[in-house]
Amino acid sequence: MTEIPASPGPFTFDPATTALVIIDMQRDFLLPGGFGESLGNDVSLLRTTIEPLTALLASARATGLTVIHTREGHLPDLSDCPPAKLRRGNPSQRIGDPGRFGRILIRGEYGHDIIDELAPIEGETVIDKPGKGAFYATELATVLHQNSITTLLVAGVTTEVCVHTTVREANDRGYECLVVADCVGSYFPEFQRVGLAMIAAQGAIFGWVADSADVITALTTPASVTA
């Protein structure tokens, strides 16, 4: 087993039954001029996750961890997007409308896809999800079961929305979750701080929180593995 120093206490896991889940690192959310910025957000706050997450992903690949990417988006006819969600955004920049990177959050458009720095490679699963959580209306549960996964290392954006929704449901489904603090991001610094605190509160009520450097060290240092 491998142990990581974490909050609220050490997090122990078996790499053979662990997946790195990278949530919604998409151009529409992270690139200047995309949907996220059209809502008045500062995308640089999300982009701080790219460098540490690139390093974490490389370590996970080298270690042989199962890697799963998710993308939030909808069918071109918007049949899977409820009216309440369609009303999000500025009147001229809503889901399905033309944006700088194609139709906003529509599957197959340039903006819907994952940023180049974190592009999936052959053999990695990509989950297209219509909602905030990665389990809702997707094949994620099946993929985890097929790979005998019991533990999730969670990264991506945004901390208080899609990351939180996924971790909360994963907790209900019996998965142990560790959220990698510098590899998740929010447009709102206060939401980032509180979102991470909520994960680890009350003895890891939803999961554990750790920095990527500690996760990478645990994955790559043989001394971190005990019988």
Side-chain angles (χ1 to χ4, degrees):
M1 299 293 285
T2 299
E3 186 175 279
I4 300 173
S7 176
F11 181 76
T12 303
F13 70 100
D14 179 357
T17 57
T18 298
L20 172 61
V21 180
I22 303 175
I23 296 176
D24 299 0
M25 294 294 286
Q26 298 163 244
R27 298 184 182 110
D28 269 335
F29 297 137
L30 285 115
L31 294 190
F35 182 48
E37 189 171 84
S38 79
L39 296 172
N41 298 309
D42 179 359
V43 297
S44 69
L45 295 171
L46 297 194
R47 293 185 61 82
T48 62
T49 65
I50 296 174
E51 184 176 352
L53 184 44
T54 299
L56 177 61
L57 177 57
S59 178
R61 286 169 173 167
T63 307
L65 253 61
T66 297
V67 176
I68 299 170
H69 306 259
T70 76
R71 300 181 295 201
E72 181 181 353
H74 299 279
L75 299 172
D77 66 1
L78 298 174
S79 60
D80 60 347
C81 187
K85 190 174 184 182
L86 282 174
R87 289 193 289 268
R88 290 184 62 228
N90 297 323
S92 62
Q93 289 259 283
R94 289 178 173 164
I95 294 172
D97 288 340
R100 181 173 177 181
F101 305 119
R103 294 181 66 201
I104 294 169
L105 290 185
I106 296 298
R107 296 178 188 179
E109 298 286 346
Y110 181 78
H112 172 259
D113 212 352
I114 294 163
I115 60 174
D116 294 344
E117 296 93 327
L118 298 167
I121 61 174
E122 185 176 356
E124 294 177 352
T125 298
V126 179
I127 302 288
D128 282 317
K129 62 186 185 69
K132 307 298 190 299
F135 289 95
Y136 170 69
T138 75
E139 67 276 24
L140 178 58
T142 299
V143 170
L144 296 177
H145 177 74
Q146 289 173 341
N147 287 277
S148 301
I149 299 300
T150 60
T151 302
L152 307 180
L153 306 180
V154 184
V157 299
T158 61
T159 306
E160 75 279 7
V161 183
C162 295
V163 170
H164 246 261
T165 303
T166 298
V167 169
R168 286 167 181 250
E169 182 162 359
N171 176 263
D172 281 344
R173 289 171 178 259
Y175 294 97
E176 299 281 22
C177 297
L178 179 126
V179 175
V180 188
D182 53 333
C183 294
V184 296
S186 172
Y187 296 121
F188 307 97
E190 184 67 6
F191 292 178
Q192 172 78 356
R193 183 188 68 79
V194 173
L196 291 174
M198 290 173 68
I199 295 289
Q202 301 181 69
I205 192 167
F206 297 122
W208 286 256
V209 176
D211 290 329
S212 62
D214 289 325
V215 178
I216 291 170
T217 297
L219 290 174
T220 58
T221 305
S224 69
V225 180
T226 59

mmCIF file of all heavy atoms in Angstrom, residues 142-177:
data_model
loop_
_atom_site.group_PDB
_atom_site.id
_atom_site.type_symbol
_atom_site.label_atom_id
_atom_site.label_comp_id
_atom_site.label_asym_id
_atom_site.label_seq_id
_atom_site.Cartn_x
_atom_site.Cartn_y
_atom_site.Cartn_z
ATOM 1 N N THR A 142 -19.521 1.993 -14.661
ATOM 2 C CA THR A 142 -19.171 0.752 -15.353
ATOM 3 C C THR A 142 -17.670 0.667 -15.602
ATOM 4 O O THR A 142 -17.046 -0.379 -15.388
ATOM 5 C CB THR A 142 -19.929 0.648 -16.688
ATOM 6 O OG1 THR A 142 -21.332 0.643 -16.423
ATOM 7 C CG2 THR A 142 -19.550 -0.602 -17.449
ATOM 8 N N VAL A 143 -17.071 1.772 -16.037
ATOM 9 C CA VAL A 143 -15.633 1.799 -16.299
ATOM 10 C C VAL A 143 -14.845 1.515 -15.022
ATOM 11 O O VAL A 143 -13.886 0.729 -15.019
ATOM 12 C CB VAL A 143 -15.222 3.158 -16.892
ATOM 13 C CG1 VAL A 143 -13.697 3.296 -16.941
ATOM 14 C CG2 VAL A 143 -15.813 3.326 -18.285
ATOM 15 N N LEU A 144 -15.241 2.119 -13.912
ATOM 16 C CA LEU A 144 -14.555 1.882 -12.644
ATOM 17 C C LEU A 144 -14.687 0.428 -12.213
ATOM 18 O O LEU A 144 -13.710 -0.196 -11.771
ATOM 19 C CB LEU A 144 -15.117 2.809 -11.566
ATOM 20 C CG LEU A 144 -14.895 4.314 -11.786
ATOM 21 C CD1 LEU A 144 -15.578 5.114 -10.683
ATOM 22 C CD2 LEU A 144 -13.412 4.654 -11.868
ATOM 23 N N HIS A 145 -15.871 -0.118 -12.359
ATOM 24 C CA HIS A 145 -16.089 -1.519 -11.984
ATOM 25 C C HIS A 145 -15.251 -2.451 -12.852
ATOM 26 O O HIS A 145 -14.619 -3.400 -12.342
ATOM 27 C CB HIS A 145 -17.572 -1.861 -12.105
ATOM 28 C CG HIS A 145 -17.882 -3.301 -11.806
ATOM 29 N ND1 HIS A 145 -17.868 -3.812 -10.530
ATOM 30 C CD2 HIS A 145 -18.188 -4.354 -12.637
ATOM 31 C CE1 HIS A 145 -18.160 -5.097 -10.567
ATOM 32 N NE2 HIS A 145 -18.362 -5.450 -11.836
ATOM 33 N N GLN A 146 -15.225 -2.206 -14.138
ATOM 34 C CA GLN A 146 -14.473 -3.062 -15.054
ATOM 35 C C GLN A 146 -12.979 -3.041 -14.767
ATOM 36 O O GLN A 146 -12.274 -4.015 -15.041
ATOM 37 C CB GLN A 146 -14.731 -2.637 -16.501
ATOM 38 C CG GLN A 146 -16.136 -2.963 -16.988
ATOM 39 C CD GLN A 146 -16.422 -2.395 -18.364
ATOM 40 O OE1 GLN A 146 -15.735 -1.477 -18.842
ATOM 41 N NE2 GLN A 146 -17.444 -2.922 -19.023
ATOM 42 N N ASN A 147 -12.491 -1.929 -14.213
ATOM 43 C CA ASN A 147 -11.065 -1.810 -13.895
ATOM 44 C C ASN A 147 -10.753 -2.079 -12.428
ATOM 45 O O ASN A 147 -9.628 -1.835 -11.982
ATOM 46 C CB ASN A 147 -10.567 -0.422 -14.282
ATOM 47 C CG ASN A 147 -10.437 -0.244 -15.784
ATOM 48 O OD1 ASN A 147 -9.440 -0.634 -16.380
ATOM 49 N ND2 ASN A 147 -11.461 0.307 -16.410
ATOM 50 N N SER A 148 -11.753 -2.571 -11.678
ATOM 51 C CA SER A 148 -11.586 -2.919 -10.254
ATOM 52 C C SER A 148 -11.093 -1.730 -9.426
ATOM 53 O O SER A 148 -10.291 -1.886 -8.500
ATOM 54 C CB SER A 148 -10.622 -4.101 -10.103
ATOM 55 O OG SER A 148 -11.095 -5.232 -10.800
ATOM 56 N N ILE A 149 -11.604 -0.541 -9.754
ATOM 57 C CA ILE A 149 -11.177 0.680 -9.067
ATOM 58 C C ILE A 149 -11.986 0.873 -7.787
ATOM 59 O O ILE A 149 -13.211 0.789 -7.789
ATOM 60 C CB ILE A 149 -11.359 1.902 -9.977
ATOM 61 C CG1 ILE A 149 -10.502 1.762 -11.241
ATOM 62 C CG2 ILE A 149 -11.022 3.191 -9.224
ATOM 63 C CD1 ILE A 149 -9.023 1.641 -11.004
ATOM 64 N N THR A 150 -11.271 1.155 -6.696
ATOM 65 C CA THR A 150 -11.916 1.449 -5.412
ATOM 66 C C THR A 150 -11.533 2.822 -4.861
ATOM 67 O O THR A 150 -12.152 3.299 -3.915
ATOM 68 C CB THR A 150 -11.549 0.387 -4.367
ATOM 69 O OG1 THR A 150 -10.123 0.369 -4.189
ATOM 70 C CG2 THR A 150 -12.027 -1.002 -4.804
ATOM 71 N N THR A 151 -10.506 3.436 -5.458
ATOM 72 C CA THR A 151 -9.985 4.700 -4.958
ATOM 73 C C THR A 151 -9.829 5.679 -6.118
ATOM 74 O O THR A 151 -9.377 5.297 -7.205
ATOM 75 C CB THR A 151 -8.611 4.497 -4.292
ATOM 76 O OG1 THR A 151 -8.748 3.549 -3.232
ATOM 77 C CG2 THR A 151 -8.066 5.801 -3.732
ATOM 78 N N LEU A 152 -10.184 6.946 -5.879
ATOM 79 C CA LEU A 152 -10.076 7.973 -6.904
ATOM 80 C C LEU A 152 -9.159 9.102 -6.440
ATOM 81 O O LEU A 152 -9.320 9.632 -5.340
ATOM 82 C CB LEU A 152 -11.455 8.566 -7.221
ATOM 83 C CG LEU A 152 -12.571 7.596 -7.593
ATOM 84 C CD1 LEU A 152 -13.853 8.371 -7.878
ATOM 85 C CD2 LEU A 152 -12.181 6.730 -8.783
ATOM 86 N N LEU A 153 -8.204 9.463 -7.282
ATOM 87 C CA LEU A 153 -7.455 10.705 -7.137
ATOM 88 C C LEU A 153 -8.123 11.696 -8.068
ATOM 89 O O LEU A 153 -8.201 11.461 -9.285
ATOM 90 C CB LEU A 153 -5.988 10.525 -7.524
ATOM 91 C CG LEU A 153 -5.211 9.407 -6.828
ATOM 92 C CD1 LEU A 153 -3.772 9.376 -7.337
ATOM 93 C CD2 LEU A 153 -5.232 9.581 -5.317
ATOM 94 N N VAL A 154 -8.621 12.806 -7.535
ATOM 95 C CA VAL A 154 -9.489 13.693 -8.311
ATOM 96 C C VAL A 154 -8.811 15.033 -8.549
ATOM 97 O O VAL A 154 -8.288 15.662 -7.621
ATOM 98 C CB VAL A 154 -10.843 13.898 -7.595
ATOM 99 C CG1 VAL A 154 -11.771 14.751 -8.451
ATOM 100 C CG2 VAL A 154 -11.500 12.550 -7.298
ATOM 101 N N ALA A 155 -8.845 15.461 -9.816
ATOM 102 C CA ALA A 155 -8.297 16.752 -10.216
ATOM 103 C C ALA A 155 -9.264 17.392 -11.203
ATOM 104 O O ALA A 155 -10.196 16.755 -11.679
ATOM 105 C CB ALA A 155 -6.919 16.560 -10.856
ATOM 106 N N GLY A 156 -9.045 18.678 -11.503
ATOM 107 C CA GLY A 156 -9.858 19.324 -12.525
ATOM 108 C C GLY A 156 -10.606 20.538 -12.019
ATOM 109 O O GLY A 156 -10.303 21.102 -10.976
ATOM 110 N N VAL A 157 -11.616 20.929 -12.781
ATOM 111 C CA VAL A 157 -12.357 22.161 -12.493
ATOM 112 C C VAL A 157 -13.864 21.949 -12.670
ATOM 113 O O VAL A 157 -14.282 21.039 -13.385
ATOM 114 C CB VAL A 157 -11.887 23.302 -13.427
ATOM 115 C CG1 VAL A 157 -10.408 23.585 -13.218
ATOM 116 C CG2 VAL A 157 -12.117 22.990 -14.905
ATOM 117 N N THR A 158 -14.641 22.785 -11.972
ATOM 118 C CA THR A 158 -14.203 23.683 -10.915
ATOM 119 C C THR A 158 -14.399 22.985 -9.566
ATOM 120 O O THR A 158 -15.245 22.110 -9.427
ATOM 121 C CB THR A 158 -14.988 25.016 -10.913
ATOM 122 O OG1 THR A 158 -16.368 24.776 -10.708
ATOM 123 C CG2 THR A 158 -14.788 25.779 -12.205
ATOM 124 N N THR A 159 -13.617 23.453 -8.596
ATOM 125 C CA THR A 159 -13.585 22.772 -7.300
ATOM 126 C C THR A 159 -14.963 22.634 -6.669
ATOM 127 O O THR A 159 -15.346 21.550 -6.216
ATOM 128 C CB THR A 159 -12.651 23.535 -6.347
ATOM 129 O OG1 THR A 159 -11.371 23.682 -6.961
ATOM 130 C CG2 THR A 159 -12.515 22.827 -5.012
ATOM 131 N N GLU A 160 -15.705 23.745 -6.632
ATOM 132 C CA GLU A 160 -16.973 23.761 -5.890
ATOM 133 C C GLU A 160 -18.152 23.232 -6.691
ATOM 134 O O GLU A 160 -19.233 23.028 -6.130
ATOM 135 C CB GLU A 160 -17.272 25.186 -5.405
ATOM 136 C CG GLU A 160 -17.752 26.162 -6.474
ATOM 137 C CD GLU A 160 -16.653 26.765 -7.326
ATOM 138 O OE1 GLU A 160 -15.487 26.342 -7.197
ATOM 139 O OE2 GLU A 160 -16.968 27.657 -8.142
ATOM 140 N N VAL A 161 -17.959 22.995 -7.996
ATOM 141 C CA VAL A 161 -19.086 22.550 -8.820
ATOM 142 C C VAL A 161 -18.856 21.107 -9.274
ATOM 143 O O VAL A 161 -19.264 20.166 -8.610
ATOM 144 C CB VAL A 161 -19.317 23.506 -10.012
ATOM 145 C CG1 VAL A 161 -20.542 23.061 -10.814
ATOM 146 C CG2 VAL A 161 -19.544 24.934 -9.516
ATOM 147 N N CYS A 162 -18.167 20.906 -10.386
ATOM 148 C CA CYS A 162 -18.063 19.558 -10.944
ATOM 149 C C CYS A 162 -17.184 18.634 -10.109
ATOM 150 O O CYS A 162 -17.469 17.442 -10.002
ATOM 151 C CB CYS A 162 -17.565 19.631 -12.380
ATOM 152 S SG CYS A 162 -18.740 20.455 -13.484
ATOM 153 N N VAL A 163 -16.113 19.174 -9.494
ATOM 154 C CA VAL A 163 -15.280 18.334 -8.629
ATOM 155 C C VAL A 163 -16.077 17.912 -7.404
ATOM 156 O O VAL A 163 -16.144 16.719 -7.057
ATOM 157 C CB VAL A 163 -13.986 19.074 -8.232
ATOM 158 C CG1 VAL A 163 -13.241 18.292 -7.144
ATOM 159 C CG2 VAL A 163 -13.095 19.276 -9.448
ATOM 160 N N HIS A 164 -16.702 18.872 -6.732
ATOM 161 C CA HIS A 164 -17.471 18.548 -5.535
ATOM 162 C C HIS A 164 -18.611 17.574 -5.844
ATOM 163 O O HIS A 164 -18.826 16.599 -5.102
ATOM 164 C CB HIS A 164 -18.045 19.825 -4.911
ATOM 165 C CG HIS A 164 -17.468 20.137 -3.572
ATOM 166 N ND1 HIS A 164 -18.091 19.835 -2.392
ATOM 167 C CD2 HIS A 164 -16.294 20.729 -3.228
ATOM 168 C CE1 HIS A 164 -17.343 20.230 -1.371
ATOM 169 N NE2 HIS A 164 -16.247 20.786 -1.858
ATOM 170 N N THR A 165 -19.343 17.832 -6.903
ATOM 171 C CA THR A 165 -20.479 16.964 -7.234
ATOM 172 C C THR A 165 -20.012 15.537 -7.468
ATOM 173 O O THR A 165 -20.630 14.577 -6.993
ATOM 174 C CB THR A 165 -21.208 17.491 -8.483
ATOM 175 O OG1 THR A 165 -21.615 18.838 -8.252
ATOM 176 C CG2 THR A 165 -22.433 16.651 -8.792
ATOM 177 N N THR A 166 -18.904 15.384 -8.175
ATOM 178 C CA THR A 166 -18.372 14.045 -8.458
ATOM 179 C C THR A 166 -17.890 13.355 -7.194
ATOM 180 O O THR A 166 -18.191 12.177 -6.954
ATOM 181 C CB THR A 166 -17.233 14.152 -9.477
ATOM 182 O OG1 THR A 166 -17.747 14.699 -10.703
ATOM 183 C CG2 THR A 166 -16.617 12.792 -9.749
ATOM 184 N N VAL A 167 -17.152 14.083 -6.357
ATOM 185 C CA VAL A 167 -16.607 13.475 -5.134
ATOM 186 C C VAL A 167 -17.719 13.092 -4.171
ATOM 187 O O VAL A 167 -17.680 12.023 -3.542
ATOM 188 C CB VAL A 167 -15.595 14.433 -4.472
ATOM 189 C CG1 VAL A 167 -15.227 13.954 -3.065
ATOM 190 C CG2 VAL A 167 -14.345 14.552 -5.329
ATOM 191 N N ARG A 168 -18.727 13.928 -4.061
ATOM 192 C CA ARG A 168 -19.834 13.604 -3.159
ATOM 193 C C ARG A 168 -20.552 12.329 -3.600
ATOM 194 O O ARG A 168 -20.883 11.471 -2.762
ATOM 195 C CB ARG A 168 -20.814 14.784 -3.094
ATOM 196 C CG ARG A 168 -20.306 15.973 -2.292
ATOM 197 C CD ARG A 168 -21.172 17.211 -2.524
ATOM 198 N NE ARG A 168 -20.693 18.363 -1.791
ATOM 199 C CZ ARG A 168 -21.320 18.902 -0.749
ATOM 200 N NH1 ARG A 168 -22.450 18.386 -0.309
ATOM 201 N NH2 ARG A 168 -20.825 19.964 -0.138
ATOM 202 N N GLU A 169 -20.805 12.201 -4.898
ATOM 203 C CA GLU A 169 -21.482 10.983 -5.346
ATOM 204 C C GLU A 169 -20.553 9.776 -5.246
ATOM 205 O O GLU A 169 -21.005 8.679 -4.894
ATOM 206 C CB GLU A 169 -21.996 11.122 -6.779
ATOM 207 C CG GLU A 169 -22.742 9.867 -7.217
ATOM 208 C CD GLU A 169 -23.636 10.040 -8.414
ATOM 209 O OE1 GLU A 169 -23.733 11.169 -8.941
ATOM 210 O OE2 GLU A 169 -24.251 9.032 -8.820
ATOM 211 N N ALA A 170 -19.284 9.971 -5.521
ATOM 212 C CA ALA A 170 -18.333 8.868 -5.371
ATOM 213 C C ALA A 170 -18.319 8.368 -3.933
ATOM 214 O O ALA A 170 -18.273 7.156 -3.676
ATOM 215 C CB ALA A 170 -16.938 9.323 -5.792
ATOM 216 N N ASN A 171 -18.365 9.303 -2.986
ATOM 217 C CA ASN A 171 -18.414 8.940 -1.574
ATOM 218 C C ASN A 171 -19.662 8.107 -1.274
ATOM 219 O O ASN A 171 -19.597 7.083 -0.580
ATOM 220 C CB ASN A 171 -18.373 10.210 -0.732
ATOM 221 C CG ASN A 171 -18.517 9.952 0.746
ATOM 222 O OD1 ASN A 171 -19.598 10.067 1.304
ATOM 223 N ND2 ASN A 171 -17.420 9.595 1.396
ATOM 224 N N ASP A 172 -20.801 8.525 -1.793
ATOM 225 C CA ASP A 172 -22.033 7.762 -1.582
ATOM 226 C C ASP A 172 -21.954 6.376 -2.192
ATOM 227 O O ASP A 172 -22.592 5.431 -1.707
ATOM 228 C CB ASP A 172 -23.229 8.506 -2.185
ATOM 229 C CG ASP A 172 -23.723 9.645 -1.297
ATOM 230 O OD1 ASP A 172 -23.360 9.675 -0.108
ATOM 231 O OD2 ASP A 172 -24.483 10.492 -1.808
ATOM 232 N N ARG A 173 -21.187 6.239 -3.261
ATOM 233 C CA ARG A 173 -21.057 4.950 -3.938
ATOM 234 C C ARG A 173 -19.970 4.067 -3.323
ATOM 235 O O ARG A 173 -19.742 2.950 -3.790
ATOM 236 C CB ARG A 173 -20.751 5.176 -5.421
ATOM 237 C CG ARG A 173 -21.937 5.721 -6.217
ATOM 238 C CD ARG A 173 -21.517 6.130 -7.618
ATOM 239 N NE ARG A 173 -22.655 6.603 -8.403
ATOM 240 C CZ ARG A 173 -23.303 5.878 -9.322
ATOM 241 N NH1 ARG A 173 -22.924 4.629 -9.558
ATOM 242 N NH2 ARG A 173 -24.312 6.384 -9.992
ATOM 243 N N GLY A 174 -19.276 4.577 -2.304
ATOM 244 C CA GLY A 174 -18.320 3.756 -1.582
ATOM 245 C C GLY A 174 -16.872 3.903 -1.998
ATOM 246 O O GLY A 174 -16.011 3.151 -1.527
ATOM 247 N N TYR A 175 -16.563 4.880 -2.856
ATOM 248 C CA TYR A 175 -15.177 5.093 -3.268
ATOM 249 C C TYR A 175 -14.447 5.978 -2.263
ATOM 250 O O TYR A 175 -15.025 6.916 -1.715
ATOM 251 C CB TYR A 175 -15.129 5.765 -4.646
ATOM 252 C CG TYR A 175 -15.652 4.889 -5.750
ATOM 253 C CD1 TYR A 175 -16.965 5.022 -6.191
ATOM 254 C CD2 TYR A 175 -14.849 3.915 -6.339
ATOM 255 C CE1 TYR A 175 -17.469 4.206 -7.196
ATOM 256 C CE2 TYR A 175 -15.337 3.100 -7.351
ATOM 257 C CZ TYR A 175 -16.653 3.257 -7.771
ATOM 258 O OH TYR A 175 -17.142 2.444 -8.762
ATOM 259 N N GLU A 176 -13.176 5.672 -2.043
ATOM 260 C CA GLU A 176 -12.312 6.548 -1.265
ATOM 261 C C GLU A 176 -11.734 7.583 -2.227
ATOM 262 O O GLU A 176 -11.216 7.232 -3.291
ATOM 263 C CB GLU A 176 -11.172 5.745 -0.622
ATOM 264 C CG GLU A 176 -11.641 4.662 0.336
ATOM 265 C CD GLU A 176 -12.023 5.203 1.701
ATOM 266 O OE1 GLU A 176 -12.334 6.420 1.805
ATOM 267 O OE2 GLU A 176 -12.013 4.429 2.668
ATOM 268 N N CYS A 177 -11.817 8.866 -1.865
ATOM 269 C CA CYS A 177 -11.398 9.938 -2.760
ATOM 270 C C CYS A 177 -10.334 10.809 -2.117
ATOM 271 O O CYS A 177 -10.453 11.178 -0.947
ATOM 272 C CB CYS A 177 -12.584 10.819 -3.137
ATOM 273 S SG CYS A 177 -13.887 9.976 -4.041
#
